[in-house]
Amino acid sequence: MTGPSSPSRRRLLRSTAGLVIGALAPTGSKAAAHLGEDGLYTQDWYVDSFLDLPEDLAATTAQGRHFAVQWSQRGCVYCKTLHTSYFADAAIEAPIKAAFDIVHLDLFGAREVTALDGTKQTEKALGQRERVRATPTFQFFALREGKAREVARMPGLLPRPEFSAMFNYVAAGAYDGETFEAWLAREGRKS
């Protein structure tokens, strides 16, 4: 377990990568989608994870941020739209980037992941266990009474207003009091 004086692997990786990228990147560069060798789109601001989800959630929570897992798969046109269109819009991307740490997983991947319950399995096995059926899917997690709990899920790519609203719903902690649909209906009447 890491404490305030012992940095986590994640924090060390981030700070090292940040120094290298900061030295090489021009000032004012904006986040960008990347198509990896695995055929998956991702964002350059997503968490560089050792795929230890309990460690990632603890680090995120300690920083006062929100935690999500995004599932995708090779050839997913909606995943491409998410990364090249939705996240290319600063009005959508900036508030999410500012408030959330997102770990990216491949629905059919073979990398070993430490799940939030401490079990180790491949991405594919975890996706099956979590009943992820569509991509992109976002699972939102929070610590509740010391245990990791899924507090919301976005299965598939919602239209832009609802997509942004889901992140606002989670950031506001509204999942403690009402469903996303009820919150969206109530918030929609305010605008």
Side-chain angles (χ1 to χ4, degrees):
M1 183 122 214
T2 60
S5 62
S6 61
S8 67
R9 295 178 296 173
R10 176 179 177 210
R11 192 171 294 135
L12 286 172
L13 181 63
R14 236 189 203 172
S15 62
T16 304
L19 290 173
V20 172
I21 292 169
L24 299 175
T27 58
S29 65
K30 81 174 221 172
H34 296 283
L35 179 60
E37 291 178 15
D38 58 3
L40 303 178
Y41 283 89
T42 189
Q43 294 300 124
D44 61 359
W45 52 267
Y46 274 21
V47 172
D48 287 325
S49 175
F50 287 101
L51 302 181
D52 185 328
L53 299 184
E55 181 180 277
D56 292 335
L57 176 59
T60 297
T61 302
Q63 295 172 7
R65 296 173 57 79
H66 304 282
F67 182 71
V69 171
Q70 189 234 312
W71 294 90
S72 60
Q73 61 182 306
R74 178 188 291 265
C76 169
V77 295
Y78 296 109
C79 299
K80 180 178 180 180
T81 299
L82 165 69
H83 291 286
T84 62
S85 179
Y86 280 40
F87 283 147
D89 182 346
I92 293 174
E93 184 214 28
I96 295 170
K97 182 179 175 181
F100 285 84
D101 281 353
I102 300 173
V103 170
H104 187 249
L105 297 178
D106 179 356
L107 187 57
F108 297 102
R111 297 181 300 172
E112 184 178 79
V113 179
T114 301
L116 288 164
D117 64 1
T119 60
K120 292 181 187 266
Q121 52 199 240
T122 65
E123 294 166 288
K124 181 178 180 178
L126 180 60
Q128 290 171 343
R129 187 183 90 178
E130 293 293 319
R131 295 186 172 103
V132 176
R133 303 286 185 250
T135 57
T137 288
F138 284 88
Q139 289 181 280
F140 299 91
F141 296 94
L143 289 175
R144 303 176 100 185
E145 299 175 8
K147 295 190 179 200
R149 301 280 184 234
E150 182 177 320
V151 296
R153 182 182 290 220
M154 185 187 323
L157 189 61
L158 298 176
R160 287 172 184 255
E162 289 84 0
F163 177 84
S164 292
M166 175 62 86
F167 284 89
N168 293 335
Y169 167 78
V170 172
Y175 49 80
D176 279 332
E178 59 190 330
T179 65
F180 175 63
E181 293 77 13
W183 180 85
L184 187 58
R186 184 175 52 75
E187 288 297 309
R189 287 193 295 269
K190 289 182 182 178
S191 356

